[in-house]
């Protein structure tokens, strides 16, 4: 993009901002603080939409961070929602060092002092949990970026032979592929019992039948109701918003075109849809939910089997609705 192109680009956005305020006269009547807030929102939207045109030019690590943007926003809201609900949050998925510290701390036969040491505090603070963490750890085992590590080929062979002949692979979490965490969550829920069986077989097949810390964490996550709840919320967002959005953007003959400016109206529609689900979550989070009202484009779910798995789990997971609303609420700000 040349300097002239950039000026034209920003000028077009500025005109849209003024039009949204009601025109030049209405804009001039706004207070300085109100204008500043409008400008702040404008820059946020410019940053969000500008990336599409130059996405492929970014380094892989930057693309990965960009793809995680919406999921991180939703994930933060889910963390806060567990606190609001006052119920047990997802199980901690600590690394090997922190896991050893936490095991000592949680040992019923251990010391009963109420004060935590600095190492124990740090272990809690550095340990994370939840659906996004679980899918990231699973990617290390089932689709490692180093094909000499993990269980990539072995797990594919097992699933093709024992579970689903059409099974391909676990989503590439380490790549910059858009929505890979949502794809991984869908994969987990679609084959939930099969993955639990697989990880136990993996352990028993070793000369020394023990779990690595990562394997243990993933298995614990798949049997933890709170983590499963977050995985459900991730799948619901993926199927209702992420997948339809990318189909619209990448689809041939899209009315939104290829220019970044052309996507602004689409982002407005996405924000309106996300808000609609926040206000009426039963459109998506209920046993009789339909893609007609529950998806951005009103078309069939991209992964109907994963959605069926979510609907079947909702009976045993009472907090899917509030956590899904929280995820949508977090993502809402990224579409403004």
């Amino acid at each position: 993009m040349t300097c002239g192109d950039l000026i034209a680009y920003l000028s077009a956005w500025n005109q849209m901002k003024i039009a949204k305020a009601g025109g030049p006269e209405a804009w001039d009547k706004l207070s300085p603080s109100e204008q500043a807030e409008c400008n702040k929102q404008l820059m946020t939207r410019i940053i969000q939409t500008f990336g599409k045109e130059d996405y492929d030019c970014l380094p892989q690590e930057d693309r990965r961070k960009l793809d995680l943007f919406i999921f991180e926003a939703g994930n933060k809201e889910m963390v806060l929602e567990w606190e609001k609900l006052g119920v047990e949050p997802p199980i901690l998925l600590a690394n090997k060092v922190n896991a050893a510290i936490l095991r000592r701390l949680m040992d019923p036969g251990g010391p009963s002092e109420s004060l935590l040491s600095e190492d124990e505090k740090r272990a809690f603070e550095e340990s994370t949990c939840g659906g996004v963490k679980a899918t990231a750890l699973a990617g290390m085992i089932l689709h490692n970026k180093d094909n000499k590590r993990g269980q990539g080929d072995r797990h594919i062979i097992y699933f093709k032979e024992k579970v689903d002949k059409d099974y391909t692979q676990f989503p590439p979490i380490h790549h910059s592929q858009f929505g890979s965490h949502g794809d991984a969550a869908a994969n987990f829920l679609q084959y939930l019992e099969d993955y639990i069986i697989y990880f136990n077989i993996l352990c028993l097949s070793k000369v020394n039948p023990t779990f690595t810390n990562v394997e243990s964490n993933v298995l614990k996550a798949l049997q933890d109701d709170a983590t499963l709840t977050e995985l459900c919320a991730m799948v619901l967002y993926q199927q209702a918003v992420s997948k339809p959005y990318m189909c619209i953007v990448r689809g041939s003959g899209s009315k939104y075109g290829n220019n970044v400016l052309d996507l602004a109206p689409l982002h407005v529609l996405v924000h309106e849809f996300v808000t609609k689900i926040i206000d009426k979550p039963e459109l998506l989070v209920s046993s009789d939910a339909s893609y007609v009202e529950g998806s951005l484009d009103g078309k069939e779910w991209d992964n109907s089997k994963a959605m069926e798995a979510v609907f079947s789990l909702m009976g045993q997971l009472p907090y899917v609705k509030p956590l899904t609303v929280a995820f949508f609420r977090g993502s809402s700000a990224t579409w403004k």
Side-chain angles (χ1 to χ4, degrees):
M1 179 178 286
T2 66
C3 182
D5 291 335
L6 181 59
I7 292 173
Y9 178 82
L10 295 177
S11 176
W13 271 103
N14 195 52
Q15 291 174 22
M16 290 172 59
K17 173 196 70 178
I18 294 173
K20 185 178 179 181
E25 292 185 6
W27 172 258
D28 290 337
K29 291 179 181 179
L30 294 177
S31 67
S33 61
E34 290 173 328
Q35 290 184 353
E37 179 60 26
C38 289
N39 287 328
K40 177 183 176 182
Q41 293 178 8
L42 173 69
M43 289 309 300
T44 299
R45 291 187 64 188
I46 289 174
I47 291 169
Q48 290 166 7
T49 57
F50 180 75
K52 177 180 179 291
E53 191 170 80
D54 298 313
Y55 179 83
D56 290 334
C57 297
L58 293 173
Q60 186 181 68
E61 179 62 18
D62 289 343
R63 297 202 305 268
R64 187 188 69 81
K65 291 177 181 177
L66 182 61
D67 290 340
L68 281 173
F69 180 49
I70 291 174
F71 264 84
E72 286 180 347
N75 192 49
K76 289 178 181 177
E77 281 295 319
M78 289 197 293
V79 172
L80 295 174
E81 188 64 23
W82 288 115
E83 295 179 5
K84 293 177 185 176
L85 292 170
V87 296
E88 194 72 23
I91 190 170
L92 282 175
L93 303 175
N95 62 35
K96 190 172 183 179
V97 174
N98 288 348
I101 295 173
L102 295 178
R103 273 197 298 271
R104 290 198 302 270
L105 181 63
M106 297 175 181
D107 181 5
S112 58
E113 291 87 349
S114 58
L115 295 178
L116 300 181
S117 70
E118 288 302 314
D119 285 342
E120 290 167 344
K121 289 179 182 178
R122 194 176 303 110
F124 272 113
E125 292 169 355
E126 293 178 354
S127 298
T128 55
C129 58
V132 174
K133 176 70 172 182
T135 55
L137 292 176
M140 294 170 60
I141 303 170
L142 303 173
H143 196 153
N144 198 293
K145 61 182 178 181
D146 181 353
N147 57 20
K148 295 180 180 180
R149 305 180 65 180
Q151 299 291 324
D153 291 341
R154 183 178 181 181
H155 115 272
I156 292 173
I157 293 171
Y158 173 86
F159 271 74
K160 279 184 174 293
E161 291 182 352
K162 304 292 186 180
V163 180
D164 183 351
K165 62 181 179 62
D166 295 322
Y167 185 89
T168 53
Q169 62 180 8
F170 192 80
I173 298 295
H174 61 279
H175 284 175
S176 57
Q177 182 175 323
F178 183 89
S180 56
H181 282 274
D183 290 336
N187 190 284
F188 263 156
L189 297 187
Q190 184 177 341
Y191 301 109
L192 181 58
E193 294 302 322
D194 299 303
Y195 271 114
I196 292 173
I197 292 172
Y198 174 77
F199 276 101
N200 280 293
I201 291 176
L202 175 61
C203 174
L204 294 173
S205 65
K206 299 176 183 178
V207 176
N208 181 19
T210 56
F211 291 107
T212 65
N213 187 68
V214 178
E215 292 166 356
S216 175
N217 275 335
V218 174
L219 185 58
K220 286 189 296 184
L222 294 180
Q223 298 175 96
D224 177 60
D225 283 355
T227 304
L228 291 176
T229 297
E230 291 199 2
L231 291 173
C232 285
M234 292 164 63
V235 172
L236 289 168
Y237 187 87
Q238 178 220 38
Q239 293 296 304
V241 181
S242 299
K243 288 293 185 179
Y245 172 78
M246 292 311 298
C247 285
I248 294 171
V249 171
R250 293 174 175 172
S252 59
S254 171
K255 67 178 181 179
Y256 295 101
N258 295 317
N259 188 284
V260 289
L261 273 178
D262 296 334
L263 288 178
L266 174 60
H267 288 183
V268 172
L269 291 177
V270 174
H271 182 259
E272 291 175 350
F273 173 77
V274 169
T275 301
K276 181 179 77 171
I277 297 300
I278 293 171
D279 294 337
K280 296 183 66 178
E282 61 273 11
L283 294 175
L284 178 62
V285 195
S286 64
S287 58
D288 59 351
S290 167
Y291 55 79
V292 176
E293 290 287 337
S295 68
L296 176 64
D297 59 0
K299 296 180 180 180
E300 293 186 14
W301 309 119
D302 176 78
N303 188 337
S304 59
K305 291 183 178 179
M307 289 297 285
E308 290 171 5
V310 171
F311 294 143
S312 66
L313 283 168
M314 286 196 298
Q316 70 184 60
L317 303 174
Y319 303 111
V320 171
K321 181 180 288 187
L323 266 294
T324 299
V325 170
F327 194 101
F328 272 69
R329 188 168 59 245
S331 77
S332 174
T334 69
W335 295 108
K336 287 184 179 179

